[in-house]
Amino acid sequence: MVERIGAVSQDEPAAGAAERDERPPFMQRLLDNPFLLLFIGVTVPTVLYLIWGILEIAQIPLSPS
Amino acid sequence: MATIAIPGQIGEAAEERFRTCPDTGLHVHAKAETLIRVNLITAVTFLGIGGLLGLLVALTRWQAVHLLPAEMFYMVLTAHGAAVLLFWIMFFEVALFYFTSAVVLRSRLATPNIAWLAYALMLIGALTATVAVLQGRSSVMFTSYVPLQAEPHFYIGLILFAVGMLITCFIFLGTLVIAKDEGTYEGSVPLATFGGLTGVIIMIFTLASGAIILIPTLLWSVGIIGHIDPLTYKLVWWGMGHSSQQVNVTMHVVVWYTIAALLLGARPLSEKVSRSAFLLYILFLQLASAHHLLVEPGISSTWKIFNTSYAMYLAVLGSMIHGMSVPGAIEAAQRRLGHTKGIFGWLREAPWGNPAFAALMLSLVMFGFLGGISGVILGTEQINILMHNTLYVPGHFHATVVSGTTLAFMGVTYLLIPIFFRRDIVFPKIAQWQPYVFAIGTAGIALFMMGAGTLGVSRRHWDITFTDALITFDYPATAFFMLGLNGLSAIIATVGGAMYVIVVVASIVWGKRRTEEDAKTNPIAPGAAVLAQYGGEDTFKLPGTIVLVSVFFIAFALYYFINWRFLAGIWPMS
Ligand code: HEM
Ligand SMILES: [Cu+2]
């Protein structure tokens, strides 16, 4: 929403006010926010695949040498 | 081709040069266009080289021909994987990233000079890695599993290439910000851009994983680090290796929607549903990387099954949504254009003689039926064991990344050349047949490699007769027959690939220049207007698509259960 307000105040100060009140539905806001999507798209596999996977490997006991 | 300077709203934009494309009506930033051209040409060059190497590999595995000596075989196999899977596909994706950001949004491209730097890094990286492989001491396959060790400049090449790609991703994101700030579009971005964003996001995770693993491996190859744990290597490497395949899937889905939009004015059935399907990709596709570790000891089944089954099925759901939405969009558009006869009139009367359309449909069908179904089989822990590390695996991924991605990219090239090079396609007859020839050849290599794999033939294996080996093994005669058919299919695929390269090069060099007049008398992208818009067909009266999708599900279910049956046969329970 932050960027949106910025854009509105530059080009169309009058039309912006009404628009600001009705927030679009959650899904649309999510899908319209590339950086939030980027955050999710990197965090989910990092946690569930990489970190969890490395924890599993770290738990394998070393063979007695 | 009138070039106009647009009085810019903000700073730099003032000096940027744009043209309005007479074929698509798109507002094209000159600097973005040049970058798109150069990346396309580079991509096609690598495809030409890499495809020929693929033929050499296939002719070696055809036991009766057995073309290359052993050492050459592994070198050529490594070079083949790198040239096509990394360099052809990824340079093409750079072009698509610039296309789906700057061009579709009618915006200027963020930091074109840095985009050139990115290109230079990728090119230098690709050449360095290729030279390293051809020198013969880095035949580690493109997976470069430790403790196999390549020479340092092999890893350096890959790292430079990845850095260039990462910069490209940030330029994509920067362009989104610029387009929004400068108000080049209203509301939500069009689906093509959203798909490009999905690709960029997955690419960033891909490259992060690559950095985590390749930098230590480089240090190990120069002797600074003493040891790299093979299992950790595999885990992190596949975070890159598999996720990058998911970028490919994402981008060929974008290409499917794009071709359908440009040719027929097709919109997604529902923009929201298609966007949500891309969201499923962002959330879950990358987790499926775990299917490469299904037989590794030491990692729990909980991790394996969570990441492959549960998560992967949600990602597959995304693909199935696209797989239904694309033909659905085509059906809806065709019906709107008046092709309403019966259930399949829209399909019969579709532009099958247009290579872009033919490539789209062939890619869609083969990706779904051959690549998708075999992928789910390989991604299921229990039945993966039947085919793990056999030729079934390359069979599967040639269906996805060759019949699917490569063919789709070939198809869209027939539109990108007139749009961005402003040239007509030469040799239209060759172009018209090209997707069919390539499709037959690649369907053959996919199916026959899968067939040989089902019989237990290993992948990456120079000699399945085990000449001179102490312990030998006799494969059934059918396995040899499959490898022979694979060799023949490889020849057909190579002919199809060569037709593509010839048409592309000849069109860029000798194609008749397209004028504004041509755009009216001989339009190549009559539906282009919808590409840059947000919004769907919002109809579901699609009897033809419903029949096609049902056929797919039945085939899927049958084949899935046949494999469980095979498994039961191997492990009798009573
Ligand atoms: C003329 C077209 C092509 C032919 C005939 C061909 C054939 C082959 C064959 C026979 C193998 C070796 C399987 C083995 O022994 O393990 C192979 C491996 C491979 N191919 Fe292709 N291929 C072609 C095009 C492509 C394209 C376009 C791509 C990627 C976009 C691709 C990606 C790969 C990869 C990644 C490998 C695995 C290499 C490895 O195991 O390290 N191929 N190909
Ligand atoms: Cu994979």
Side-chain angles (χ1 to χ4, degrees), chain A residues 27-28 31-32 34-35 37-38 40-41 44-46 48-50 52-54 56-57 60, chain B residues 188 194 201 205 231 235 238 275 279 282-283 286-287 289-290 293 298-300 303 306-307:
Chain A
M27 269 303 268
Q28 191 175 341
L31 295 177
D32 283 346
F35 293 98
L37 290 174
L38 172 62
I40 297 174
V44 170
T46 302
L48 291 177
Y49 175 80
L50 286 180
W52 181 8
I54 288 174
E56 295 250 329
I57 295 175
I60 304 174
Chain B
S188 302
F194 191 79
I201 290 173
F205 174 76
L231 187 52
L235 176 88
W238 280 113
R275 270 159 51 109
L279 178 64
I282 294 176
L283 287 171
Q286 306 160 70
L287 304 179
S289 307
L293 291 99
I299 306 183
S300 71
W303 181 87
F306 175 82
N307 278 293

mmCIF file of all heavy atoms in Angstrom, chain A residues 27-28 31-32 34-35 37-38 40-41 44-46 48-50 52-54 56-57 60, chain B residues 188 194 201 205 231 235 238 275 279 282-283 286-287 289-290 293 298-300 303 306-307:
data_model
loop_
_atom_site.group_PDB
_atom_site.id
_atom_site.type_symbol
_atom_site.label_atom_id
_atom_site.label_comp_id
_atom_site.label_asym_id
_atom_site.label_seq_id
_atom_site.Cartn_x
_atom_site.Cartn_y
_atom_site.Cartn_z
ATOM 1 N N MET A 27 -5.621 -11.380 -1.029
ATOM 2 C CA MET A 27 -4.884 -12.099 -2.073
ATOM 3 C C MET A 27 -4.354 -11.135 -3.120
ATOM 4 O O MET A 27 -3.229 -11.259 -3.590
ATOM 5 C CB MET A 27 -5.794 -13.129 -2.750
ATOM 6 C CG MET A 27 -5.767 -14.485 -2.116
ATOM 7 S SD MET A 27 -4.109 -15.171 -2.070
ATOM 8 C CE MET A 27 -4.110 -16.077 -3.599
ATOM 9 N N GLN A 28 -5.186 -10.173 -3.478
ATOM 10 C CA GLN A 28 -4.749 -9.251 -4.522
ATOM 11 C C GLN A 28 -3.583 -8.396 -4.034
ATOM 12 O O GLN A 28 -2.632 -8.158 -4.772
ATOM 13 C CB GLN A 28 -5.906 -8.360 -4.950
ATOM 14 C CG GLN A 28 -5.561 -7.582 -6.205
ATOM 15 C CD GLN A 28 -6.727 -6.777 -6.709
ATOM 16 O OE1 GLN A 28 -7.877 -7.051 -6.355
ATOM 17 N NE2 GLN A 28 -6.446 -5.790 -7.523
ATOM 18 N N LEU A 31 -0.550 -10.589 -4.224
ATOM 19 C CA LEU A 31 -0.070 -10.833 -5.581
ATOM 20 C C LEU A 31 0.445 -9.555 -6.241
ATOM 21 O O LEU A 31 1.213 -9.622 -7.199
ATOM 22 C CB LEU A 31 -1.189 -11.450 -6.431
ATOM 23 C CG LEU A 31 -1.642 -12.845 -5.984
ATOM 24 C CD1 LEU A 31 -2.789 -13.345 -6.841
ATOM 25 C CD2 LEU A 31 -0.496 -13.843 -6.046
ATOM 26 N N ASP A 32 0.029 -8.416 -5.732
ATOM 27 C CA ASP A 32 0.507 -7.163 -6.310
ATOM 28 C C ASP A 32 1.777 -6.663 -5.646
ATOM 29 O O ASP A 32 2.265 -5.587 -5.976
ATOM 30 C CB ASP A 32 -0.579 -6.081 -6.199
ATOM 31 C CG ASP A 32 -1.653 -6.280 -7.253
ATOM 32 O OD1 ASP A 32 -1.409 -7.055 -8.199
ATOM 33 O OD2 ASP A 32 -2.731 -5.675 -7.130
ATOM 34 N N PRO A 34 5.462 -7.456 -5.354
ATOM 35 C CA PRO A 34 6.548 -8.334 -5.804
ATOM 36 C C PRO A 34 7.570 -8.634 -4.719
ATOM 37 O O PRO A 34 8.090 -9.745 -4.660
ATOM 38 C CB PRO A 34 7.201 -7.572 -6.952
ATOM 39 C CG PRO A 34 6.579 -6.237 -6.990
ATOM 40 C CD PRO A 34 5.337 -6.253 -6.164
ATOM 41 N N PHE A 35 7.826 -7.683 -3.835
ATOM 42 C CA PHE A 35 8.905 -7.929 -2.880
ATOM 43 C C PHE A 35 8.453 -8.843 -1.748
ATOM 44 O O PHE A 35 9.238 -9.639 -1.241
ATOM 45 C CB PHE A 35 9.480 -6.598 -2.386
ATOM 46 C CG PHE A 35 10.178 -5.890 -3.506
ATOM 47 C CD1 PHE A 35 9.546 -4.895 -4.231
ATOM 48 C CD2 PHE A 35 11.449 -6.293 -3.905
ATOM 49 C CE1 PHE A 35 10.175 -4.295 -5.315
ATOM 50 C CE2 PHE A 35 12.085 -5.689 -4.980
ATOM 51 C CZ PHE A 35 11.447 -4.686 -5.692
ATOM 52 N N LEU A 37 6.310 -11.256 -2.312
ATOM 53 C CA LEU A 37 6.372 -12.558 -2.985
ATOM 54 C C LEU A 37 7.809 -13.074 -3.024
ATOM 55 O O LEU A 37 8.070 -14.250 -2.795
ATOM 56 C CB LEU A 37 5.820 -12.447 -4.406
ATOM 57 C CG LEU A 37 4.321 -12.215 -4.524
ATOM 58 C CD1 LEU A 37 3.943 -11.976 -5.979
ATOM 59 C CD2 LEU A 37 3.559 -13.409 -3.985
ATOM 60 N N LEU A 38 8.731 -12.173 -3.307
ATOM 61 C CA LEU A 38 10.139 -12.571 -3.341
ATOM 62 C C LEU A 38 10.562 -13.110 -1.973
ATOM 63 O O LEU A 38 11.206 -14.155 -1.866
ATOM 64 C CB LEU A 38 11.004 -11.370 -3.736
ATOM 65 C CG LEU A 38 12.520 -11.571 -3.640
ATOM 66 C CD1 LEU A 38 12.984 -12.664 -4.583
ATOM 67 C CD2 LEU A 38 13.257 -10.265 -3.959
ATOM 68 N N ILE A 40 8.686 -14.432 0.364
ATOM 69 C CA ILE A 40 8.079 -15.745 0.605
ATOM 70 C C ILE A 40 8.770 -16.813 -0.236
ATOM 71 O O ILE A 40 9.113 -17.895 0.246
ATOM 72 C CB ILE A 40 6.580 -15.712 0.228
ATOM 73 C CG1 ILE A 40 5.837 -14.725 1.112
ATOM 74 C CG2 ILE A 40 5.969 -17.095 0.337
ATOM 75 C CD1 ILE A 40 4.390 -14.532 0.690
ATOM 76 N N GLY A 41 8.992 -16.482 -1.500
ATOM 77 C CA GLY A 41 9.543 -17.468 -2.434
ATOM 78 C C GLY A 41 10.956 -17.888 -2.080
ATOM 79 O O GLY A 41 11.409 -18.955 -2.480
ATOM 80 N N VAL A 44 10.478 -19.774 2.111
ATOM 81 C CA VAL A 44 9.851 -21.093 2.242
ATOM 82 C C VAL A 44 10.825 -22.212 1.873
ATOM 83 O O VAL A 44 11.080 -23.100 2.689
ATOM 84 C CB VAL A 44 8.541 -21.163 1.421
ATOM 85 C CG1 VAL A 44 8.019 -22.585 1.343
ATOM 86 C CG2 VAL A 44 7.496 -20.245 2.026
ATOM 87 N N PRO A 45 11.433 -22.194 0.682
ATOM 88 C CA PRO A 45 12.358 -23.298 0.392
ATOM 89 C C PRO A 45 13.619 -23.260 1.238
ATOM 90 O O PRO A 45 14.199 -24.308 1.526
ATOM 91 C CB PRO A 45 12.686 -23.119 -1.093
ATOM 92 C CG PRO A 45 12.379 -21.713 -1.402
ATOM 93 C CD PRO A 45 11.262 -21.307 -0.484
ATOM 94 N N THR A 46 14.052 -22.078 1.650
ATOM 95 C CA THR A 46 15.252 -22.032 2.481
ATOM 96 C C THR A 46 15.003 -22.751 3.801
ATOM 97 O O THR A 46 15.835 -23.536 4.261
ATOM 98 C CB THR A 46 15.667 -20.572 2.757
ATOM 99 O OG1 THR A 46 15.877 -19.935 1.500
ATOM 100 C CG2 THR A 46 16.946 -20.499 3.566
ATOM 101 N N LEU A 48 12.241 -24.935 4.585
ATOM 102 C CA LEU A 48 11.717 -26.299 4.523
ATOM 103 C C LEU A 48 12.655 -27.254 3.791
ATOM 104 O O LEU A 48 12.696 -28.441 4.094
ATOM 105 C CB LEU A 48 10.358 -26.299 3.820
ATOM 106 C CG LEU A 48 9.242 -25.624 4.611
ATOM 107 C CD1 LEU A 48 7.955 -25.609 3.797
ATOM 108 C CD2 LEU A 48 9.016 -26.366 5.930
ATOM 109 N N TYR A 49 13.370 -26.745 2.833
ATOM 110 C CA TYR A 49 14.255 -27.637 2.074
ATOM 111 C C TYR A 49 15.690 -27.541 2.585
ATOM 112 O O TYR A 49 16.247 -28.510 3.087
ATOM 113 C CB TYR A 49 14.159 -27.313 0.577
ATOM 114 C CG TYR A 49 15.134 -28.106 -0.266
ATOM 115 C CD1 TYR A 49 14.858 -29.428 -0.620
ATOM 116 C CD2 TYR A 49 16.337 -27.556 -0.685
ATOM 117 C CE1 TYR A 49 15.760 -30.175 -1.364
ATOM 118 C CE2 TYR A 49 17.245 -28.290 -1.434
ATOM 119 C CZ TYR A 49 16.946 -29.593 -1.770
ATOM 120 O OH TYR A 49 17.841 -30.328 -2.503
ATOM 121 N N LEU A 50 16.279 -26.352 2.514
ATOM 122 C CA LEU A 50 17.716 -26.253 2.838
ATOM 123 C C LEU A 50 17.990 -26.438 4.331
ATOM 124 O O LEU A 50 18.730 -27.344 4.723
ATOM 125 C CB LEU A 50 18.260 -24.896 2.390
ATOM 126 C CG LEU A 50 18.469 -24.690 0.891
ATOM 127 C CD1 LEU A 50 19.009 -23.286 0.622
ATOM 128 C CD2 LEU A 50 19.446 -25.725 0.335
ATOM 129 N N TRP A 52 16.094 -27.342 6.998
ATOM 130 C CA TRP A 52 15.618 -28.620 7.541
ATOM 131 C C TRP A 52 16.494 -29.764 7.014
ATOM 132 O O TRP A 52 16.924 -30.648 7.770
ATOM 133 C CB TRP A 52 14.142 -28.806 7.183
ATOM 134 C CG TRP A 52 13.518 -30.057 7.695
ATOM 135 C CD1 TRP A 52 14.064 -30.962 8.567
ATOM 136 C CD2 TRP A 52 12.218 -30.561 7.366
ATOM 137 N NE1 TRP A 52 13.183 -31.984 8.799
ATOM 138 C CE2 TRP A 52 12.038 -31.766 8.073
ATOM 139 C CE3 TRP A 52 11.176 -30.111 6.541
ATOM 140 C CZ2 TRP A 52 10.878 -32.527 7.977
ATOM 141 C CZ3 TRP A 52 10.028 -30.867 6.448
ATOM 142 C CH2 TRP A 52 9.871 -32.064 7.158
ATOM 143 N N GLY A 53 16.813 -29.731 5.740
ATOM 144 C CA GLY A 53 17.643 -30.792 5.160
ATOM 145 C C GLY A 53 19.026 -30.828 5.801
ATOM 146 O O GLY A 53 19.537 -31.903 6.154
ATOM 147 N N ILE A 54 19.631 -29.674 5.992
ATOM 148 C CA ILE A 54 20.973 -29.644 6.583
ATOM 149 C C ILE A 54 20.924 -30.109 8.037
ATOM 150 O O ILE A 54 21.803 -30.843 8.497
ATOM 151 C CB ILE A 54 21.578 -28.228 6.445
ATOM 152 C CG1 ILE A 54 21.923 -28.008 4.969
ATOM 153 C CG2 ILE A 54 22.830 -28.075 7.301
ATOM 154 C CD1 ILE A 54 22.399 -26.636 4.621
ATOM 155 N N GLU A 56 18.937 -32.339 9.175
ATOM 156 C CA GLU A 56 18.858 -33.805 9.114
ATOM 157 C C GLU A 56 20.244 -34.405 8.895
ATOM 158 O O GLU A 56 20.622 -35.388 9.529
ATOM 159 C CB GLU A 56 17.954 -34.226 7.953
ATOM 160 C CG GLU A 56 16.521 -33.819 8.128
ATOM 161 C CD GLU A 56 15.626 -35.019 8.369
ATOM 162 O OE1 GLU A 56 15.949 -36.092 7.845
ATOM 163 O OE2 GLU A 56 14.634 -34.873 9.097
ATOM 164 N N ILE A 57 20.989 -33.804 7.966
ATOM 165 C CA ILE A 57 22.311 -34.354 7.660
ATOM 166 C C ILE A 57 23.229 -34.196 8.875
ATOM 167 O O ILE A 57 24.006 -35.089 9.205
ATOM 168 C CB ILE A 57 22.903 -33.658 6.424
ATOM 169 C CG1 ILE A 57 22.058 -33.977 5.191
ATOM 170 C CG2 ILE A 57 24.349 -34.099 6.203
ATOM 171 C CD1 ILE A 57 22.471 -33.252 3.947
ATOM 172 N N ILE A 60 23.301 -37.019 11.423
ATOM 173 C CA ILE A 60 23.846 -38.352 11.152
ATOM 174 C C ILE A 60 25.090 -38.541 12.012
ATOM 175 O O ILE A 60 25.992 -37.708 11.958
ATOM 176 C CB ILE A 60 24.218 -38.494 9.666
ATOM 177 C CG1 ILE A 60 23.010 -38.192 8.782
ATOM 178 C CG2 ILE A 60 24.766 -39.885 9.381
ATOM 179 C CD1 ILE A 60 23.329 -38.169 7.305
ATOM 180 N N SER B 188 -3.041 -4.000 -11.572
ATOM 181 C CA SER B 188 -2.109 -5.112 -11.435
ATOM 182 C C SER B 188 -1.354 -5.322 -12.734
ATOM 183 O O SER B 188 -1.830 -4.957 -13.805
ATOM 184 C CB SER B 188 -2.879 -6.387 -11.104
ATOM 185 O OG SER B 188 -3.625 -6.212 -9.929
ATOM 186 N N PHE B 194 3.554 -11.081 -14.504
ATOM 187 C CA PHE B 194 3.470 -11.803 -13.237
ATOM 188 C C PHE B 194 4.213 -13.140 -13.332
ATOM 189 O O PHE B 194 4.928 -13.537 -12.408
ATOM 190 C CB PHE B 194 2.004 -12.031 -12.847
ATOM 191 C CG PHE B 194 1.870 -12.518 -11.441
ATOM 192 C CD1 PHE B 194 1.968 -11.636 -10.382
ATOM 193 C CD2 PHE B 194 1.685 -13.858 -11.176
ATOM 194 C CE1 PHE B 194 1.880 -12.083 -9.067
ATOM 195 C CE2 PHE B 194 1.598 -14.319 -9.864
ATOM 196 C CZ PHE B 194 1.699 -13.428 -8.811
ATOM 197 N N ILE B 201 11.737 -14.794 -9.159
ATOM 198 C CA ILE B 201 11.804 -15.152 -7.731
ATOM 199 C C ILE B 201 12.438 -16.538 -7.574
ATOM 200 O O ILE B 201 13.340 -16.734 -6.752
ATOM 201 C CB ILE B 201 10.389 -15.110 -7.109
ATOM 202 C CG1 ILE B 201 9.916 -13.668 -7.034
ATOM 203 C CG2 ILE B 201 10.393 -15.768 -5.735
ATOM 204 C CD1 ILE B 201 8.475 -13.510 -6.607
ATOM 205 N N PHE B 205 16.239 -17.743 -5.712
ATOM 206 C CA PHE B 205 16.528 -18.850 -4.782
ATOM 207 C C PHE B 205 17.533 -19.818 -5.418
ATOM 208 O O PHE B 205 18.480 -20.287 -4.777
ATOM 209 C CB PHE B 205 15.241 -19.598 -4.413
ATOM 210 C CG PHE B 205 15.520 -20.826 -3.576
ATOM 211 C CD1 PHE B 205 15.847 -20.704 -2.238
ATOM 212 C CD2 PHE B 205 15.488 -22.100 -4.134
ATOM 213 C CE1 PHE B 205 16.138 -21.829 -1.457
ATOM 214 C CE2 PHE B 205 15.781 -23.224 -3.378
ATOM 215 C CZ PHE B 205 16.106 -23.087 -2.029
ATOM 216 N N LEU B 231 26.877 -35.439 0.693
ATOM 217 C CA LEU B 231 25.423 -35.371 0.846
ATOM 218 C C LEU B 231 24.951 -33.918 0.963
ATOM 219 O O LEU B 231 23.958 -33.522 0.349
ATOM 220 C CB LEU B 231 24.995 -36.188 2.074
ATOM 221 C CG LEU B 231 23.485 -36.335 2.264
ATOM 222 C CD1 LEU B 231 22.806 -36.835 1.005
ATOM 223 C CD2 LEU B 231 23.193 -37.279 3.424
ATOM 224 N N LEU B 235 22.427 -31.923 -1.550
ATOM 225 C CA LEU B 235 21.241 -31.213 -1.058
ATOM 226 C C LEU B 235 21.219 -29.779 -1.595
ATOM 227 O O LEU B 235 20.245 -29.331 -2.196
ATOM 228 C CB LEU B 235 21.247 -31.197 0.472
ATOM 229 C CG LEU B 235 20.112 -30.399 1.093
ATOM 230 C CD1 LEU B 235 18.891 -31.275 1.285
ATOM 231 C CD2 LEU B 235 20.497 -29.777 2.417
ATOM 232 N N TRP B 238 21.118 -29.320 -5.514
ATOM 233 C CA TRP B 238 19.802 -29.498 -6.153
ATOM 234 C C TRP B 238 18.846 -28.364 -5.831
ATOM 235 O O TRP B 238 17.864 -28.146 -6.550
ATOM 236 C CB TRP B 238 19.201 -30.861 -5.830
ATOM 237 C CG TRP B 238 19.820 -31.915 -6.710
ATOM 238 C CD1 TRP B 238 20.635 -32.941 -6.329
ATOM 239 C CD2 TRP B 238 19.692 -32.018 -8.145
ATOM 240 N NE1 TRP B 238 21.028 -33.672 -7.428
ATOM 241 C CE2 TRP B 238 20.467 -33.132 -8.553
ATOM 242 C CE3 TRP B 238 19.011 -31.290 -9.124
ATOM 243 C CZ2 TRP B 238 20.580 -33.528 -9.888
ATOM 244 C CZ3 TRP B 238 19.126 -31.683 -10.460
ATOM 245 C CH2 TRP B 238 19.898 -32.785 -10.822
ATOM 246 N N ARG B 275 -2.976 -16.461 -11.812
ATOM 247 C CA ARG B 275 -1.998 -15.847 -10.902
ATOM 248 C C ARG B 275 -1.803 -16.705 -9.660
ATOM 249 O O ARG B 275 -0.685 -16.879 -9.178
ATOM 250 C CB ARG B 275 -2.463 -14.439 -10.495
ATOM 251 C CG ARG B 275 -1.962 -13.383 -11.452
ATOM 252 C CD ARG B 275 -2.734 -12.095 -11.441
ATOM 253 N NE ARG B 275 -2.974 -11.450 -10.171
ATOM 254 C CZ ARG B 275 -2.383 -10.299 -9.783
ATOM 255 N NH1 ARG B 275 -1.453 -9.748 -10.516
ATOM 256 N NH2 ARG B 275 -2.722 -9.721 -8.672
ATOM 257 N N LEU B 279 1.391 -18.485 -7.933
ATOM 258 C CA LEU B 279 1.726 -18.381 -6.508
ATOM 259 C C LEU B 279 2.062 -19.764 -5.947
ATOM 260 O O LEU B 279 2.991 -19.906 -5.138
ATOM 261 C CB LEU B 279 0.569 -17.749 -5.731
ATOM 262 C CG LEU B 279 0.804 -17.627 -4.218
ATOM 263 C CD1 LEU B 279 1.962 -16.682 -3.918
ATOM 264 C CD2 LEU B 279 -0.456 -17.142 -3.495
ATOM 265 N N ILE B 282 5.548 -20.320 -6.667
ATOM 266 C CA ILE B 282 6.461 -19.583 -5.791
ATOM 267 C C ILE B 282 6.586 -20.291 -4.448
ATOM 268 O O ILE B 282 7.669 -20.402 -3.876
ATOM 269 C CB ILE B 282 5.947 -18.137 -5.587
ATOM 270 C CG1 ILE B 282 5.995 -17.374 -6.910
ATOM 271 C CG2 ILE B 282 6.749 -17.417 -4.506
ATOM 272 C CD1 ILE B 282 5.433 -15.975 -6.838
ATOM 273 N N LEU B 283 5.459 -20.799 -3.956
ATOM 274 C CA LEU B 283 5.472 -21.409 -2.630
ATOM 275 C C LEU B 283 6.100 -22.799 -2.624
ATOM 276 O O LEU B 283 6.831 -23.154 -1.708
ATOM 277 C CB LEU B 283 4.039 -21.514 -2.105
ATOM 278 C CG LEU B 283 3.398 -20.200 -1.665
ATOM 279 C CD1 LEU B 283 1.914 -20.408 -1.384
ATOM 280 C CD2 LEU B 283 4.094 -19.692 -0.415
ATOM 281 N N GLN B 286 9.913 -25.181 -5.538
ATOM 282 C CA GLN B 286 11.331 -25.362 -5.262
ATOM 283 C C GLN B 286 11.577 -26.507 -4.289
ATOM 284 O O GLN B 286 12.645 -27.103 -4.264
ATOM 285 C CB GLN B 286 11.886 -24.043 -4.730
ATOM 286 C CG GLN B 286 11.547 -22.925 -5.707
ATOM 287 C CD GLN B 286 11.603 -21.555 -5.076
ATOM 288 O OE1 GLN B 286 12.658 -21.064 -4.756
ATOM 289 N NE2 GLN B 286 10.445 -20.951 -4.877
ATOM 290 N N LEU B 287 10.542 -26.809 -3.469
ATOM 291 C CA LEU B 287 10.709 -27.886 -2.490
ATOM 292 C C LEU B 287 10.898 -29.232 -3.181
ATOM 293 O O LEU B 287 11.525 -30.144 -2.643
ATOM 294 C CB LEU B 287 9.491 -27.939 -1.569
ATOM 295 C CG LEU B 287 9.197 -26.624 -0.847
ATOM 296 C CD1 LEU B 287 7.965 -26.786 0.023
ATOM 297 C CD2 LEU B 287 10.383 -26.220 0.009
ATOM 298 N N SER B 289 12.806 -30.070 -5.173
ATOM 299 C CA SER B 289 14.231 -30.396 -5.312
ATOM 300 C C SER B 289 14.565 -31.683 -4.570
ATOM 301 O O SER B 289 15.491 -32.403 -4.940
ATOM 302 C CB SER B 289 15.102 -29.289 -4.725
ATOM 303 O OG SER B 289 14.767 -28.039 -5.266
ATOM 304 N N ALA B 290 13.802 -31.958 -3.538
ATOM 305 C CA ALA B 290 14.072 -33.130 -2.706
ATOM 306 C C ALA B 290 13.949 -34.440 -3.478
ATOM 307 O O ALA B 290 14.490 -35.455 -3.038
ATOM 308 C CB ALA B 290 13.129 -33.145 -1.516
ATOM 309 N N LEU B 293 16.972 -36.528 -3.924
ATOM 310 C CA LEU B 293 17.637 -37.163 -2.789
ATOM 311 C C LEU B 293 16.807 -38.300 -2.216
ATOM 312 O O LEU B 293 17.028 -38.732 -1.096
ATOM 313 C CB LEU B 293 17.906 -36.111 -1.696
ATOM 314 C CG LEU B 293 18.964 -35.103 -2.117
ATOM 315 C CD1 LEU B 293 18.335 -33.830 -2.608
ATOM 316 C CD2 LEU B 293 19.941 -34.824 -1.020
ATOM 317 N N GLY B 298 20.270 -41.468 5.362
ATOM 318 C CA GLY B 298 20.662 -40.408 6.284
ATOM 319 C C GLY B 298 19.681 -39.255 6.339
ATOM 320 O O GLY B 298 19.753 -38.431 7.227
ATOM 321 N N ILE B 299 18.776 -39.188 5.383
ATOM 322 C CA ILE B 299 17.762 -38.132 5.457
ATOM 323 C C ILE B 299 16.428 -38.828 5.696
ATOM 324 O O ILE B 299 16.141 -39.852 5.081
ATOM 325 C CB ILE B 299 17.710 -37.323 4.152
ATOM 326 C CG1 ILE B 299 19.113 -36.808 3.815
ATOM 327 C CG2 ILE B 299 16.753 -36.157 4.283
ATOM 328 C CD1 ILE B 299 19.146 -35.942 2.583
ATOM 329 N N SER B 300 15.633 -38.266 6.583
ATOM 330 C CA SER B 300 14.424 -38.978 6.996
ATOM 331 C C SER B 300 13.357 -38.985 5.905
ATOM 332 O O SER B 300 13.313 -38.108 5.047
ATOM 333 C CB SER B 300 13.846 -38.316 8.240
ATOM 334 O OG SER B 300 13.295 -37.062 7.882
ATOM 335 N N TRP B 303 11.184 -35.741 5.874
ATOM 336 C CA TRP B 303 11.680 -34.650 5.039
ATOM 337 C C TRP B 303 11.413 -34.952 3.564
ATOM 338 O O TRP B 303 10.920 -34.114 2.814
ATOM 339 C CB TRP B 303 13.187 -34.479 5.289
ATOM 340 C CG TRP B 303 13.819 -33.367 4.499
ATOM 341 C CD1 TRP B 303 13.901 -32.057 4.867
ATOM 342 C CD2 TRP B 303 14.457 -33.468 3.225
ATOM 343 N NE1 TRP B 303 14.559 -31.337 3.884
ATOM 344 C CE2 TRP B 303 14.909 -32.176 2.875
ATOM 345 C CE3 TRP B 303 14.690 -34.526 2.337
ATOM 346 C CZ2 TRP B 303 15.581 -31.915 1.682
ATOM 347 C CZ3 TRP B 303 15.354 -34.263 1.146
ATOM 348 C CH2 TRP B 303 15.798 -32.970 0.825
ATOM 349 N N PHE B 306 7.552 -34.995 2.866
ATOM 350 C CA PHE B 306 6.950 -33.657 2.937
ATOM 351 C C PHE B 306 7.322 -32.842 1.702
ATOM 352 O O PHE B 306 6.472 -32.268 1.032
ATOM 353 C CB PHE B 306 7.389 -32.893 4.196
ATOM 354 C CG PHE B 306 6.862 -31.489 4.179
ATOM 355 C CD1 PHE B 306 5.567 -31.233 4.577
ATOM 356 C CD2 PHE B 306 7.625 -30.440 3.661
ATOM 357 C CE1 PHE B 306 5.041 -29.954 4.489
ATOM 358 C CE2 PHE B 306 7.097 -29.164 3.574
ATOM 359 C CZ PHE B 306 5.803 -28.923 3.993
ATOM 360 N N ASN B 307 8.594 -32.807 1.405
ATOM 361 C CA ASN B 307 9.039 -31.931 0.319
ATOM 362 C C ASN B 307 8.636 -32.429 -1.062
ATOM 363 O O ASN B 307 8.389 -31.631 -1.954
ATOM 364 C CB ASN B 307 10.556 -31.740 0.377
ATOM 365 C CG ASN B 307 10.963 -30.682 1.382
ATOM 366 O OD1 ASN B 307 10.684 -29.516 1.212
ATOM 367 N ND2 ASN B 307 11.590 -31.108 2.458
#
